Amino acid sequence: MPQPSAQVTAAEISRIAGVTRATVSNWRRRHEDFPAPSGGTDSSPLYDLESVRAWLASRGHASAASPSEELRTTLRLRAQSGGGRTSEDLLLLVLAAGRSPKELTAVTELPDADLAARAQRDAASVADAVPGAGPVRFEASDAAVLRALYACVRDEGGQAALGVLAERELEESAASGAYRTPAPLADLLVRLIPGSPARVLDPACGSGTLLEAAARRGARELYGQDTLPVQARRSAVGLMLAAPEAEVTVRAADSLRADAFPELLADAVLCNPPYGVRDWGHDELAYDPRWAYGVPPRAESELAWVQHALAHLTPGGYAVLLLPPATAGRASGRRVRAELVRSGALRAVIALPVGASAPLHIGLQVWVLQRPEPGGPERKSVLFVDAATDTSPTAGRGGAAVPRTRGGSRSASVDWDEVAARALGAWRAFIEDPDTFEGEPGVAHAAGVLDLLDDVVDLSPARLVRTSRADVDPTELAAEADAARRDLVAAATSLARVAGQEGWSATGAAAREWRTASASDLARGGALTLLRTVPEAARGRGDGGGEERAGARAVLTGSDIARGSGPTGDPAELRCDTAPVVAVGDVLVRAVVSGDGSMVRVAGEEDAGALLGPHVHLFRPDPARLDPWFLAGFLGAEENIAGASTGSTALTVSPGRLRVPLLPLEEQRRYGEAFRHVHALRTEARRAMLLAEETARLLAGGLTGGQLLPSRDGGS
């Protein structure tokens, strides 16, 4: 009996072709030869997969799908046919394949029956390492999925395949509220722990991002627990791939109700717990010995997680938790907060910008805690840091009080370099000598324990880190405001000049179409070289090693590209001795998508010699075949970036999937000059906008603070 033809949705066509849904809709309207729907409904049509692939091949899109997209599509089609292998079985294969990726080309070429037998042996070899894994049996009918998985591990790594499988199982289990902690935030949380803890616990480990970050900083015993079995399995496999030298133990159960490690005392605890959970076990755990600081109220599950973390620390050990801001001020948690402060267990509260992590519309907080040591030093103060905005009253052109995110936007962009510098700088200065810590107005303040123990015990940094305008010199502020105003006038004049230039015309009645090639194809053909920086820990070679080579070189980061600044990254944090050196004419693309700032830039003289940061892709074009500004203009197109991006909470760019039109070099140069003009326009507009905001802020702050007087004619 013939097998039914596989069918795909418009969304899957967009992933196969490496374009957006809007592009697929345009194809359907504009091209009469686009395959007609073969099933589905008028609102959700389905298309024959082979017909779609043939049509895409005729237009140069056949190779656009990445191995991870092929795996995603194959899994969906397999489930559609009623067959389907569970993600749990395939997770075992990811772990086994990730340990010997060099052998996978030969494996994918095996006949179907031999491939199934090989996969079954691979899965059995690692079954004991994954929590809840049962016996696995593969059949020849699973060959398509097995080949796609092996190819994905071979070409993109085990983590990419792991992410695809976890997506499907989370959908199948109807799990909600499972969010991956962004990598820069995970790194910050780990760096807040003094020293180098060897044994680390995450009692709500999710996909294991925090434990991976701990492994990169030297942790060698990793313990994780999560209430979702799919997350526990994903975390176990991901940690064993990312940290092959570490001892990994992950369990699937509710940490509050069924602690899998009741006797464990860790050097450090990291946790991004679930928020706002009322059914966390309040009644059944009322007399639990973990509640050394008071029984958490029913509405305060976050304070239960705080005490769970403290209970699992060795005396003097640190815990770092990511919590919602309400935890710091809700009336119901006042008594527990008071005891945490009184005992010295709470060491710091750090406010993060909106958009730092899901839920993206809330400015989350980091709580740093330390388990008191018997007979240890008395802790007289708690550090509060506002890393969300710069509210210094004298902030000028080097430190204007500007928000770091777009509040409430899913595309909010966080300047992680500045957030980390502010939080870590204040924290390290505080723990070095808490009694003499002076803080910074509007940024950091050490509040005395007695001052905090009032009727509300409100631990919100925004309330405790206050800017005092009393010491601001009126003459100095007036001079700074006048200088900012003059700069604004000059910037507005420059913007008007650039905006007045014309360099384009309409193509006619219809938009121009052209054949394109993926960046991977161009790299294979020698037209460009794709480079990136891979931290040493990601390759299993430990931490450090790159500092001597880096020397005094700065590191060009994704934040530098977004802000349009020169290289500002710290080479000591690069943890890599093979980072590419940026050259003039290189095209740099941020690896993480956001709506704030530029995604792409062409390296100039000011960038030459800098080391490439870990979240930046470098495209080095052959100048005899590709114009850099032409390349940058098309690589940075919104539709191109969207089509090459994957992820849910955080979108990451797959550089090889970005597409470039195939045009003669002379025509490329004409486009390149147009893109250079667009870049100048954007740069001048951003400069004028920032100066306008700064000037207005200085004037408003001076008028309300009493340093400036309005002029008699009503001006300022």
Side-chain angles (χ1 to χ4, degrees), residues 58-114:
S58 69
R59 294 186 165 268
H61 287 281
S63 62
S66 65
S68 57
E69 293 296 348
E70 288 284 2
L71 175 59
R72 187 177 284 109
T73 299
T74 305
L75 286 168
R76 210 278 301 172
L77 296 176
R78 181 69 174 155
Q80 182 187 80
S81 67
R85 176 63 55 188
T86 67
S87 297
E88 177 183 329
D89 296 347
L90 297 174
L91 279 173
L92 298 175
L93 276 192
V94 173
L95 178 58
R99 292 177 171 177
S100 55
K102 294 181 179 179
E103 304 175 7
L104 299 184
T105 297
V107 172
T108 59
E109 296 172 354
L110 291 172
D112 290 358
D114 294 343

Side-chain angles (χ1 to χ4, degrees), residues 199-203 211 223-225 261 264 266 268-270 308 312:
R199 179 182 298 173
V200 180
L201 166 69
D202 184 348
L211 290 174
Y223 297 86
Q225 185 170 348
F261 309 105
L264 175 66
V269 175
L270 297 164
H308 177 84
H312 276 290

Side-chain angles (χ1 to χ4, degrees), residues 41-353:
T41 64
D42 290 340
S43 59
S44 301
L46 296 174
Y47 302 86
D48 179 77
L49 176 60
E50 294 308 316
S51 298
V52 168
R53 281 181 167 159
W55 189 87
L56 291 172
S58 69
R59 294 186 165 268
H61 287 281
S63 62
S66 65
S68 57
E69 293 296 348
E70 288 284 2
L71 175 59
R72 187 177 284 109
T73 299
T74 305
L75 286 168
R76 210 278 301 172
L77 296 176
R78 181 69 174 155
Q80 182 187 80
S81 67
R85 176 63 55 188
T86 67
S87 297
E88 177 183 329
D89 296 347
L90 297 174
L91 279 173
L92 298 175
L93 276 192
V94 173
L95 178 58
R99 292 177 171 177
S100 55
K102 294 181 179 179
E103 304 175 7
L104 299 184
T105 297
V107 172
T108 59
E109 296 172 354
L110 291 172
D112 290 358
D114 294 343
L115 178 64
R118 167 61 186 262
Q120 189 160 319
R121 291 196 300 272
D122 285 349
S125 70
V126 296
D128 293 341
V130 179
V136 177
R137 181 173 181 80
F138 293 111
E139 307 289 346
S141 58
D142 299 317
V145 170
L146 298 176
R147 282 196 178 87
L149 185 141
Y150 279 126
C152 184
V153 174
R154 178 194 63 197
D155 296 342
E156 297 188 33
Q159 295 290 357
L162 187 62
V164 174
L165 296 178
E167 285 174 13
R168 289 203 58 80
E169 192 161 345
L170 283 171
E171 292 171 0
E172 293 164 3
S173 64
S176 61
Y179 302 107
R180 187 177 180 89
T181 306
L185 176 55
D187 186 61
L188 171 60
L189 299 186
V190 172
R191 292 166 67 190
L192 286 167
I193 297 174
S196 301
R199 179 182 298 173
V200 180
L201 166 69
D202 184 348
C205 63
S207 59
T209 309
L210 293 176
L211 290 174
E212 284 183 31
R216 290 195 296 270
R217 305 292 295 186
R220 286 296 172 260
E221 292 183 45
L222 307 175
Y223 297 86
Q225 185 170 348
D226 197 90
T227 188
L228 293 175
V230 56
Q231 291 285 62
R233 291 191 290 267
R234 176 185 181 182
S235 181
V237 174
L239 289 170
M240 284 183 272
L241 289 173
E245 298 178 359
E247 178 183 333
V248 176
T249 307
V250 180
R251 297 289 181 263
D254 184 337
S255 289
L256 295 182
R257 283 189 167 98
D259 188 358
F261 309 105
E263 306 300 323
L264 175 66
L265 292 180
D267 301 323
V269 175
L270 297 164
C271 190
N272 181 0
Y275 307 145
V277 178
R278 287 184 171 272
D279 184 21
W280 58 268
H282 173 269
D283 294 338
E284 61 202 85
L285 299 174
Y287 301 101
D288 196 287
R290 289 173 291 182
W291 314 147
Y293 304 89
V295 178
R298 190 182 303 277
E300 298 287 349
S301 62
E302 295 84 5
L303 292 177
W305 286 103
V306 165
Q307 297 193 73
H308 177 84
L310 285 166
H312 276 290
L313 287 172
T314 59
Y318 285 86
V320 180
L321 286 84
L322 187 66
L323 299 172
T327 308
R330 269 192 303 242
S332 56
R334 179 180 63 83
R335 291 186 178 180
V336 175
R337 290 197 303 272
E339 193 56 37
L340 289 170
V341 170
R342 185 180 292 109
S343 67
L346 181 65
R347 302 304 312 279
V349 180
I350 302 169
L352 296 176

Side-chain angles (χ1 to χ4, degrees), residues 392-435:
S392 174
T394 59
R397 286 175 295 283
V402 293
R404 302 298 173 192
T405 63
R406 291 178 181 175
S409 169
R410 285 189 62 83
S411 63
S413 174
V414 176
D415 185 346
W416 284 111
D417 292 336
E418 187 161 348
V419 169
R422 185 174 301 168
L424 293 171
W427 169 239
R428 289 168 180 169
F430 175 74
I431 59 175
E432 184 176 344
D433 192 345
D435 294 334

Side-chain angles (χ1 to χ4, degrees), residues 35 111 203 226 236 246 286 342 357 362 377 422 453 533 545 604 645 658:
D226 197 90
R342 185 180 292 109
S357 183
I362 295 175
R422 185 174 301 168
L453 297 175
T533 294
S645 301
L658 292 167

Side-chain angles (χ1 to χ4, degrees), residues 393 467 469-470 477 696-710:
T467 302
R469 297 188 176 95
L477 182 59
R697 195 177 300 275
L698 285 168
L699 293 173
L703 290 168
T704 58
Q707 289 81 18
L708 298 180
L709 293 174

